[in-house]
Amino acid sequence: MEDEPLVHPAPTRFGQNDLVHGAIAFSWIAGIGSAIGLAAWTIRAGRRLRPFIERNELPEKDRLWSVVNLGGGALWGVFFCLIVLVLLRNRGLRAGFSFLERLGHRFAPLLLAPAVPILLVWKPWRDRELSVLSLIAIFGLAALGLWHLSFRTGPVFMSQGSRLSRWLRPVRAVFDAPALPPVLLALGIVGYAIFFSYFTISAHYNLQSASFDLAIENNLVWNLVHGGPLFKTTPLGGPEGSHMGYHHTYLAFVLGLVYRFAPRPETLLVLQATLIAAAAWPLYLLARLRLDRRIAAVLAIAYLLYPPNHGANLYDFHYPPFMPFFMWFMLYFAERNRTTLALIFALLSMSIREDASACVALWGVYLFLTKTNVRFGILIAILGAAHFYVSKMVLMPWVLDGHEAYVDQYKELMIPTIKGFAGVVVTVFSNFGFTLHTLVREPMKYSYALQIAAPLVFLAWRRPIGLLLSLPGFFFTLLASHYEPMVSIGFQYTFFWTTFIFIACVRNLDWIAQPRSPGDVDGPNRQKAWIVAVACATLMTSYQFGGVFQQNTIKGGFGPKRFGPGKVERAQYAEVKQLIKLVPPDAKIVSNEVLVPHVSSRRDSYTMRVGVFDAEYMLFHVPSGGGERDVVHREISSGAFGIVKRTAGFALAKRGYKTDLNPDVLRQF
């Protein structure tokens, strides 16, 4: 049989569809050129950018230049397209248009370039949280789509075996090294621990810590390691003060193993910063079970930069920030079927606080529903629920004579016939309309929800598993009414979100990469697009609200924190230390709210606004303010306490001491 002659098909004519194709290709490149031009002008704007963003005020000349940069960038894009078509003239217009379109798709994320310098300045956005958060959320979602398009397009210039590919091979080898992601993460963990340890201690020395809560927790652990009654804490309630009716923090016994070697507040602050940072490691290990090590490392580093962690870390010392470390190790060992270790960490997690036990119970439900470790899930669901019920519903009300602590924040959802938090739960599940009303009427909750979700581009809520794991955050924060700490990222309650939504992100990233239909190979591109979008949004929210990139807008507790000691703060702290040296270590002392933490490493240290009780010494500001002023004035004017020593801003008085210096201090009041 003779071979058939080779027949070349006649070339199709260049038609209208090709012109449309070309117009689209030109539009992509022109749009990217416009974006780069506008971004360049925005960077050059400098100080003019703030009034431009805040009030749309800009000199006419500068406004003209912004338009020139926008249009000039588009013209340069068109000029670039023409050059490409000339260089590819031998391949034909159709091939040139196709190349330009692929080039536009590959570099599509550059369309967002003008937003970057606008979102990486903080002054225009001070007190405009909802606006900047909305922009970041939009930026993250747009970045997701554009990066997906870019990854799906693939390399344009650097084909396999090309000269550029060979030149970049050593660089790619470094980035592909298996050891690089864990090494970078380890450096991030150490850096976070050192950074926040230093600045939380600095805030303490700047007299920005308080009796409620650093002194309460420090005195509790001090009494514990020195053989005092269980959960005794005198700043809370005087000589018989106890935390038993408010929180069950059995983890204090574990922390006490370290605290006993350095029994002072600084030890607790270092432990808190270190364990918040160290939680990034079990998160990385959990993510590595399902994801590429580079994606796992990026997500773990995003946790370290997550603004809700920073604000909570700067607010004195609390126990919820320990939940990620212990609970994520519990999950990791549960997924590895190392049940003994998983159970140890489950018990440690339940020892954090009574509400952490409820969180452990939810993890049990998670392990059961996802079929990750069904038996262990059932076990910890029962243990966690039982411990929460006994602690919260039985023991704590018994200590408080039938009252439940911390339910006033939910008073609008409470039911007169059902006592405590149980009534809140009944309202939530039986009266959806009223519950929704309490959720949406406070504008602060919108900003708070975006601060939680925008850094992760709402990835946790991509599937129902994220909604399940959002229940602790929903119940413990958003349901509160007219109580700012519950819906502010400056308080410890954010960890009821952090602990859960990062695990939801791991599961969702794994799901995103799975084929959606036979032959679907786009999963890895979707996954990479999501993690890049998360990285971008996290960097921007961390810059605006976190404590790493700039420290002008971050809040820790009820107000901003000063990073590092200033001259005034150093002088004040030197005065306080000078007076504290005159107080015997076993003496009972009462102090102003911000001074109690500095004298709380003793058996009895009282808070002035709670009561003077049987204090032998009184340490206070001169003059004191608010209700503390009345207490000091009463005790000094009556002669019950005599001034031992006076400095520029403080005074130390002793019960029964001579009153020669009292009139001088009273004149300041």
Side-chain angles (χ1 to χ4, degrees):
M1 182 175 178
E2 295 183 1
D3 294 336
E4 296 181 2
L6 183 62
V7 178
H8 296 281
T12 57
R13 296 182 60 185
F14 188 82
Q16 185 177 357
N17 289 338
D18 296 295
L19 289 176
V20 173
H21 189 197
I24 293 173
F26 268 65
S27 298
W28 274 106
I29 304 301
I32 291 172
S34 294
I36 294 174
L38 186 58
W41 175 86
T42 306
I43 293 171
R44 293 198 309 270
R47 295 181 179 178
R48 294 164 292 177
L49 193 61
R50 181 177 181 182
F52 184 49
I53 295 174
E54 290 180 344
R55 302 180 298 276
N56 195 27
E57 293 179 0
L58 193 67
E60 289 302 317
K61 182 179 178 181
D62 293 315
R63 198 180 297 273
L64 175 63
W65 273 110
S66 68
V67 176
V68 168
N69 275 255
L70 185 69
L75 290 176
W76 275 107
V78 172
F79 182 63
F80 173 82
C81 291
L82 294 174
I83 292 176
V84 169
L85 291 179
V86 170
L87 293 175
L88 298 179
R89 62 184 181 277
N90 293 333
R91 300 185 186 180
L93 281 176
R94 185 173 297 164
F97 289 156
S98 178
F99 175 81
L100 287 173
E101 187 174 26
R102 289 188 65 240
L103 192 66
H105 291 174
R106 183 62 172 172
F107 291 95
L110 288 176
L111 289 170
L112 298 175
V116 175
I118 291 175
L119 294 174
L120 289 182
V121 291
W122 61 269
K123 288 183 179 179
W125 303 112
R126 187 193 287 270
D127 301 324
R128 301 168 75 188
E129 293 181 354
L130 187 58
S131 298
V132 70
L133 285 165
S134 299
L135 283 175
I136 292 173
I138 294 170
F139 180 93
L141 292 171
L144 171 63
L146 294 174
W147 278 106
H148 182 208
L149 178 62
S150 176
F151 289 132
R152 190 173 59 192
T153 302
V156 176
F157 297 109
M158 195 171 59
S159 60
Q160 189 70 24
S162 66
R163 182 178 301 177
L164 183 60
S165 176
R166 292 196 299 270
W167 286 349
L168 294 178
R169 193 174 297 164
V171 177
R172 295 186 63 179
V174 172
F175 282 98
D176 291 340
L180 184 63
V183 167
L184 291 177
L185 178 59
L187 291 174
I189 291 171
V190 173
Y192 181 104
I194 294 173
F195 184 89
F196 279 95
S197 293
Y198 172 76
F199 284 115
T200 51
I201 292 174
S202 293
H204 174 56
Y205 292 163
N206 290 343
L207 306 185
Q208 290 186 311
S209 57
S211 176
F212 285 60
D213 295 311
L214 181 57
I216 289 175
E217 303 295 356
N218 181 65
N219 188 249
L220 185 153
V221 182
W222 192 97
N223 275 295
L224 186 149
V225 301
H226 288 85
L230 180 64
F231 297 154
K232 175 182 178 179
T233 177
T234 56
L236 179 63
E240 305 301 322
S242 172
H243 220 218
M244 279 290 292
Y246 300 92
H247 288 303
H248 288 182
T249 53
Y250 297 102
L251 188 67
F253 287 94
V254 179
L255 302 180
L257 298 175
V258 177
Y259 181 89
R260 63 178 301 180
F261 295 104
R264 50 182 180 266
E266 295 90 330
T267 302
L268 295 180
L269 296 175
V270 171
L271 282 171
Q272 178 174 253
T274 301
L275 288 183
I276 290 175
W281 191 253
L283 176 60
Y284 172 75
L285 295 178
L286 275 166
R288 277 291 293 120
L289 296 176
R290 291 180 167 82
L291 309 173
D292 177 84
R293 61 172 56 88
R294 290 166 296 188
I295 294 177
V298 170
L299 187 63
I301 293 172
Y303 160 80
L304 294 175
L305 294 175
Y306 192 53
N309 296 351
H310 300 176
N313 198 160
L314 289 173
Y315 177 41
D316 287 5
F317 172 87
H318 299 90
Y319 284 86
F322 296 112
M323 291 197 300
F325 179 82
F326 292 103
M327 292 185 183
W328 289 349
F329 264 123
M330 173 192 73
L331 292 177
Y332 174 71
F333 290 123
E335 292 211 24
R336 296 292 302 274
N337 288 315
R338 302 179 69 175
T339 307
T340 302
L341 286 173
L343 183 59
I344 290 172
F345 276 94
L347 295 175
L348 288 170
S349 298
M350 288 189 288
S351 75
I352 293 172
R353 267 185 15 178
E354 71 290 339
D355 41 15
S357 296
C359 296
V360 170
L362 180 64
W363 283 125
V365 175
Y366 160 84
L367 292 173
F368 175 79
L369 293 178
T370 59
K371 300 180 181 179
T372 304
N373 192 327
V374 174
R375 291 184 179 180
F376 182 74
I378 295 173
L379 174 63
I380 64 171
I382 295 172
L383 288 176
H387 183 261
F388 177 76
Y389 178 80
V390 172
S391 296
K392 184 70 176 176
M393 306 300 179
V394 179
L395 293 179
M396 292 167 65
W398 175 70
V399 173
L400 295 178
D401 298 323
H403 300 287
E404 278 191 39
Y406 306 115
V407 294
D408 288 342
Q409 296 93 325
Y410 311 95
K411 57 185 177 183
E412 293 192 14
L413 297 173
M414 295 174 66
I415 301 174
T417 55
I418 303 178
K419 295 178 61 177
F421 197 71
V424 176
V425 176
V426 171
T427 300
V428 170
F429 287 103
S430 64
N431 193 341
F432 301 117
F434 183 78
T435 301
L436 180 63
H437 172 67
T438 62
L439 283 174
V440 302
R441 69 178 176 178
E442 296 181 44
M444 187 176 183
K445 291 183 179 180
Y446 300 130
S447 295
Y448 179 70
L450 283 174
Q451 285 173 322
I452 294 296
L456 302 174
V457 200
F458 310 98
L459 174 58
W461 299 335
R462 185 68 176 78
R463 288 196 304 152
I465 189 67
L467 299 178
L468 171 69
L469 294 180
S470 295
L471 288 177
F474 173 76
F475 273 100
F476 291 122
T477 66
L478 289 180
L479 282 184
S481 55
H482 305 294
Y483 187 63
E484 180 180 341
M486 289 288 198
V487 287
S488 167
I489 63 170
F491 292 84
Q492 69 274 19
Y493 307 106
T494 58
F495 279 91
F496 288 107
W497 292 101
T498 301
T499 308
F500 294 89
I501 61 175
F502 274 89
I503 303 303
C505 288
V506 172
R507 298 297 299 231
N508 287 344
L509 282 171
D510 179 39
W511 172 79
I512 284 167
Q514 304 304 317
R516 295 182 176 177
S517 61
D520 177 21
V521 295
D522 196 39
N525 293 326
R526 292 193 296 268
Q527 190 181 67
K528 287 189 293 184
W530 269 103
I531 199 64
V532 172
V534 166
C536 293
T538 297
L539 286 171
M540 289 178 173
T541 49
S542 191
Y543 178 84
Q544 292 291 343
F545 303 104
V548 174
F549 300 114
Q550 56 91 9
Q551 295 82 39
N552 299 285
T553 55
I554 186 171
K555 294 180 180 179
F558 292 94
K561 293 291 185 181
R562 180 182 176 90
F563 274 59
K567 291 183 179 179
V568 174
E569 288 80 5
R570 281 197 294 264
Q572 288 181 333
Y573 186 60
E575 292 179 33
V576 171
K577 288 202 300 183
Q578 182 183 356
L579 296 177
I580 291 175
K581 288 180 180 178
L582 302 177
V583 182
D586 58 345
K588 302 178 180 181
I589 185 171
V590 62
S591 314
N592 289 140
E593 176 76 20
V594 298
L595 299 179
V596 184
H598 299 271
V599 291
S600 58
S601 295
R602 61 183 67 235
R603 190 171 301 277
D604 297 295
S605 180
Y606 309 140
T607 304
M608 193 174 291
R609 66 185 174 97
V610 176
V612 176
F613 303 106
D614 57 348
E616 303 167 68
Y617 286 85
M618 179 183 291
L619 179 65
F620 56 93
H621 282 277
V622 178
S624 296
E628 295 175 335
R629 176 189 182 280
D630 298 332
V631 174
V632 174
H633 191 275
R634 182 185 70 238
E635 299 296 334
I636 299 301
S637 61
S638 68
F641 284 80
I643 302 300
V644 175
K645 188 170 182 177
R646 161 83 188 278
T647 66
F650 305 90
L652 177 69
K654 183 178 180 181
R655 189 182 292 274
Y657 195 75
K658 59 184 180 180
T659 60
D660 298 353
L661 299 178
N662 285 24
D664 176 58
V665 171
L666 288 172
R667 278 193 292 271
Q668 301 295 319
F669 283 79

